[in-house]
Amino acid sequence: MKGGTVLGGAFIVAGLFHGYLVIRLWRNPARAARLVDNFSSVFPYSDEFCRGMVRASAATTGGVTTAGLFAVLGQAAMAHQTGTLGRDLLDAMITSLVALFLFIALNMSLTLFNFPKRLAPPHMRDDLGSVIAHRRDRAARRRAAG
């Protein structure tokens, strides 16, 4: 019963620390370039996709923190299954699950399409998004091939 609470607490702490790193990322474009290089060396994806993963870091922070909140609320709801406290905790758990899915969708939107641009770091708002960049590169390769 306490394992979910510990895991949820770890996710919340990790989300808060990631939030601190995101603030530093937003203030320093050179840090973003280093993170893109690090992602490119670890993940076998295109540089534009790795740039999108860095661009979506604010949504990732929200998702990690919300996942921790979901786990902690789930443990609390199971401990208090009867009465109004259990129902309120269940409602909070459902709300946090919906928020988690919204953060996942936002993360994918920022990574793939750079939308909404307002949630991307200021120095990355002019990026195309990995899907649009891939299509543009593919069209250029087709024109060059004949």
Side-chain angles (χ1 to χ4, degrees):
M1 178 111 88
K2 294 186 189 243
T5 305
V6 171
L7 181 64
F11 267 72
I12 291 171
V13 170
L16 293 174
F17 180 70
H18 194 264
Y20 165 74
L21 295 177
V22 166
I23 291 170
R24 294 178 64 192
L25 168 74
W26 274 56
R27 293 180 181 169
N28 189 353
R31 183 176 299 276
R34 272 196 315 271
L35 280 174
V36 170
D37 290 340
N38 290 343
F39 274 119
S40 296
S41 66
V42 174
F43 296 110
Y45 304 120
S46 68
D47 286 342
E48 187 57 42
F49 185 79
C50 292
R51 189 165 173 80
M53 289 171 53
V54 172
R55 188 173 48 239
S57 57
T60 303
T61 299
V64 169
T65 307
T66 305
L69 181 64
F70 176 73
V72 169
L73 287 173
Q75 284 294 320
M78 286 193 302
H80 300 288
Q81 287 181 345
T82 58
T84 56
L85 180 62
R87 180 66 189 161
D88 292 342
L89 286 171
L90 185 62
D91 290 343
M93 192 172 103
I94 291 169
T95 304
S96 67
L97 183 62
V98 169
L100 176 62
F101 287 134
L102 289 174
F103 276 119
I104 290 170
L106 183 63
N107 193 324
M108 291 171 53
S109 174
L110 280 165
T111 300
L112 300 176
F113 304 106
N114 195 19
F115 178 80
K117 290 185 184 286
R118 194 175 277 261
L119 296 178
H123 48 86
M124 299 177 113
R125 290 182 181 163
D126 293 333
D127 292 354
L128 294 175
S130 61
V131 170
I132 297 168
H134 175 71
R135 285 184 178 175
R136 190 171 286 178
D137 290 345
R138 186 174 63 181
R141 284 193 305 266
R142 283 185 181 169
R143 280 192 300 269

